[in-house]
Amino acid sequence: MLSSRHQSVLKEIDAARCVGSWSTASALAAKLAKHGSPGHVFGSIVSSEAELEEYLAKVEWSPQEHWSDDGIMQRSSNGVRVTARYPMNISSSPKQLEALEKRLQKIGKHTLSDEEAYQLSVVTAKVYFYGSKFEQCQAAVDSLATTIPDEGAMSPVYVRQLYMAQMVMRGITAEMHGDMDTAHSMYDTALVTLKERLSSQAALVVPRGSAAGAEKSHEELVNWAEEALYRRAMASLAQDNIDRGADELAVYIRVMDNVTPATFRVFRRLRANRLHMQLERQSIGTDSSAAAQAKERVMASHRRQMALLKATYAFPRANEAHAEVLAEVDGAARDWELVRAFSRVESLRLLEVLYEAVFLTFNSPQVLRHLVHVLVRFGDYHEARLAFVTYRELVERQLERVKKALGSGSKIDSGLESVNNILRTVVVGARLFLVHLDSAHDCLSVVHFANDLIDDVEARDPDHQIIPPVPETIRAQVALWKGAAHGRLAQRSREPSNRADHHCAALQLLRQAAELNPQLYEAHYFLALELALGTRDIAAATAAAKKAAALDATRLDAWHLLVLLSTARKDYAKALQICEVAMRQSVWWPAYNESQPDANKSE
């Protein structure tokens, strides 16, 4: 029986070990380690573990470098392969660990109670584990039961952490032998057992140094509960059990959202959240109902990812790109399209992600490109104009580097905007200026820039060995908005000669756009408009407007033009008939029909 004084010391040691206050634990253990005193063997075990943990706390390591390739999903003929890093290998400085091994072996020669024997086995296994002696580590823990030990007098609370360490080490050694089923079983058993011992309000993962009285140091190499949560999901994915792995990864992410400090394992959580978004994207595929159900989850995942990025990265230095942020921006834009999150509220949530990315990348053209597209969709045309002007200035600088690369025949830097992405954004800018800002001159300036870029690239790389050819669809849109701008200027010009020049240019360009892409709605619509206003050719305008309406019956501007053309021919019955057809095609028709009395509703 231990005295009340020794029992008090044991409680203090238990508390210090739980919070990672190893200097306190070591000092208290020294009181028990006097030879012949009650608990001296246990004190020696605690002192050895404290020395191990204090040594590990001094190991310099970079979480970003360590987990830079963690959680990368690769597809192969054998299924999905996900990278899951083992803990940091520190065997390059083995002297202190070897000294601890000898000390623990010496302690094992004493007569030990069951509780002391259990703790000695786990602490010894930890020394082997951190020394990368995984065979010895496996031998040390294989004899231990997979059930959590009863709460003894020495470590009633810390025994849970020792149990987690034992089970995780067993799981990792199983992984190293390719036995992923056993590894998953170890992680899952450990987590289920630990949850049963904890209260419903208790945190499952408690980083060392997060509690009062704990030594403040850099992030610990291994947090056993966190490792079990993460590796359980990775083991499922490695077994090709994608659904179970995705659910377990979601559990890991939710648990880690509540850790203190919030920056704990932030880089690994970045990787985990990104992997989970990839799995979500894969499960959605082309299923529209699955996309609708996953919409909120997808948007929340990107919101979390940006919060983690803000905790990881600061304002960039010179020539610093923050590729992780750029990858998130591309993923967010792609996923908003995937789940069709196009409402104003949903677009606003994407804008929040993009504006935060602007700060973390200092006006990256890649971020501004997405910003232009979303601001136009959101309807904030003034901000869209500012974003586009900035984007154009930045890409013009980048294009100087592209031209130098083309001149020397060298490869273009991967971080630069592609020519086709620039042209697609320029097309959006041209439409913004003409349709939403009513500035035909600005629209012409933008499309002239696009034409100059296409001509320059064609001249410098005619065989397309470095830069891929510009698609016909992009060429068609450049011609479209240039023609539409000339048409607008023709309508407003007071000089007959200028009006004729703009009109001829508009017809030529709009016909060119329709030939390059016969499925381009705006090309046929603006051609019909120009034929109607510029030449009063009602028949040709009607034919072009009908083509536009056939391509997209839900857009009312082509129908409206057909009504006007019918009234110009004084065919009022035809005009009314077109009005009725157009209303039924419109996306507003169901709401309008519902608002009418039953007697007036159509069959």
Side-chain angles (χ1 to χ4, degrees), residues 86-97:
Y86 294 115
M88 181 66 70
N89 186 337
I90 58 170
S91 59
S92 56
S93 302
K95 291 184 179 179
Q96 192 161 357
L97 295 180

Side-chain angles (χ1 to χ4, degrees), residues 233-340:
M234 295 299 107
S236 290
L237 294 174
Q239 291 176 285
D240 233 5
N241 195 331
I242 305 300
D243 292 339
R244 186 178 72 181
D247 291 342
E248 290 169 344
L249 195 59
V251 171
Y252 169 80
I253 293 169
R254 286 198 300 271
V255 169
M256 296 304 290
D257 281 345
N258 299 316
V259 298
T260 303
T263 55
F264 178 69
R265 288 292 190 267
V266 65
F267 206 78
R268 179 185 250 187
R269 288 156 63 194
L270 271 172
R271 290 287 185 266
N273 196 53
R274 184 180 68 180
L275 175 60
H276 187 260
M277 289 189 291
Q278 289 175 329
L279 295 171
E280 186 86 69
R281 197 176 298 134
Q282 177 180 295
S283 68
I284 293 171
T286 57
D287 188 342
S288 58
S289 61
Q293 294 173 3
K295 184 184 291 187
E296 283 299 323
R297 295 197 305 272
V298 167
M299 292 190 290
S301 293
H302 284 288
R303 186 75 223 129
R304 177 189 295 111
Q305 191 75 350
M306 186 51 66
L308 293 171
L309 288 167
K310 288 171 65 178
T312 305
Y313 297 107
F315 190 80
R317 300 174 182 174
N319 299 320
E320 192 174 26
H322 290 338
E324 192 80 19
V325 181
L326 298 178
E328 159 56 16
V329 167
D330 282 343
R334 182 171 61 252
D335 285 349
W336 253 255
E337 292 281 345
L338 178 66
V339 300
R340 305 196 62 76

Side-chain angles (χ1 to χ4, degrees), residues 426-444:
V426 165
V427 166
V428 173
R431 187 179 192 279
L432 166 69
F433 282 119
L434 185 68
V435 176
H436 300 298
L437 299 178
D438 194 23
S439 177
H441 288 291
D442 285 335
C443 178
L444 277 179

Side-chain angles (χ1 to χ4, degrees), residues 121 124-125 128 133-144 169-170 173 177:
S121 296
T124 302
Y128 289 136
K133 298 181 178 180
F134 294 107
E135 294 300 327
Q136 293 95 317
C137 173
Q138 183 179 10
V141 295
D142 271 354
S143 60
L144 303 177
M169 287 186 287
R170 292 180 74 164
T173 54
H177 290 95

Side-chain angles (χ1 to χ4, degrees), residues 141-381:
V141 295
D142 271 354
S143 60
L144 303 177
T146 57
T147 56
I148 194 167
D150 295 330
E151 295 179 358
M154 295 179 178
S155 301
V157 180
Y158 186 67
V159 70
R160 300 169 187 170
Q161 293 193 29
L162 290 174
Y163 171 72
M164 288 300 297
Q166 164 211 336
M167 296 295 284
V168 170
M169 287 186 287
R170 292 180 74 164
I172 289 177
T173 54
E175 281 188 56
M176 298 185 73
H177 290 95
D179 190 354
M180 304 306 293
D181 188 55
T182 298
H184 181 274
S185 175
M186 291 296 163
Y187 302 137
D188 192 59
T189 301
L191 291 167
V192 170
T193 305
L194 182 61
K195 286 179 182 177
E196 291 174 350
R197 290 292 184 96
L198 296 175
S199 69
S200 59
Q201 303 300 320
L204 187 61
V205 177
V206 181
R208 297 284 175 81
S210 63
E215 292 95 344
K216 300 298 180 183
S217 61
H218 58 265
E219 191 170 292
E220 59 192 300
L221 284 168
V222 179
N223 180 289
W224 302 108
E226 183 266 343
E227 200 73 32
L229 278 168
Y230 182 76
R231 304 196 80 82
R232 178 179 65 171
M234 295 299 107
S236 290
L237 294 174
Q239 291 176 285
D240 233 5
N241 195 331
I242 305 300
D243 292 339
R244 186 178 72 181
D247 291 342
E248 290 169 344
L249 195 59
V251 171
Y252 169 80
I253 293 169
R254 286 198 300 271
V255 169
M256 296 304 290
D257 281 345
N258 299 316
V259 298
T260 303
T263 55
F264 178 69
R265 288 292 190 267
V266 65
F267 206 78
R268 179 185 250 187
R269 288 156 63 194
L270 271 172
R271 290 287 185 266
N273 196 53
R274 184 180 68 180
L275 175 60
H276 187 260
M277 289 189 291
Q278 289 175 329
L279 295 171
E280 186 86 69
R281 197 176 298 134
Q282 177 180 295
S283 68
I284 293 171
T286 57
D287 188 342
S288 58
S289 61
Q293 294 173 3
K295 184 184 291 187
E296 283 299 323
R297 295 197 305 272
V298 167
M299 292 190 290
S301 293
H302 284 288
R303 186 75 223 129
R304 177 189 295 111
Q305 191 75 350
M306 186 51 66
L308 293 171
L309 288 167
K310 288 171 65 178
T312 305
Y313 297 107
F315 190 80
R317 300 174 182 174
N319 299 320
E320 192 174 26
H322 290 338
E324 192 80 19
V325 181
L326 298 178
E328 159 56 16
V329 167
D330 282 343
R334 182 171 61 252
D335 285 349
W336 253 255
E337 292 281 345
L338 178 66
V339 300
R340 305 196 62 76
F342 297 147
S343 73
R344 285 183 62 83
V345 173
E346 292 160 352
S347 295
L348 183 60
R349 292 173 71 174
L350 179 54
L351 283 173
E352 290 172 354
V353 171
L354 294 174
Y355 276 122
E356 288 173 347
V358 168
F359 173 78
L360 292 176
T361 57
F362 189 52
N363 287 341
S364 161
Q366 186 174 331
V367 179
L368 286 168
R369 165 166 41 93
H370 292 299
L371 199 56
V372 170
H373 287 262
V374 180
L375 283 168
V376 170
R377 183 196 307 158
F378 184 68
D380 193 341
Y381 305 124

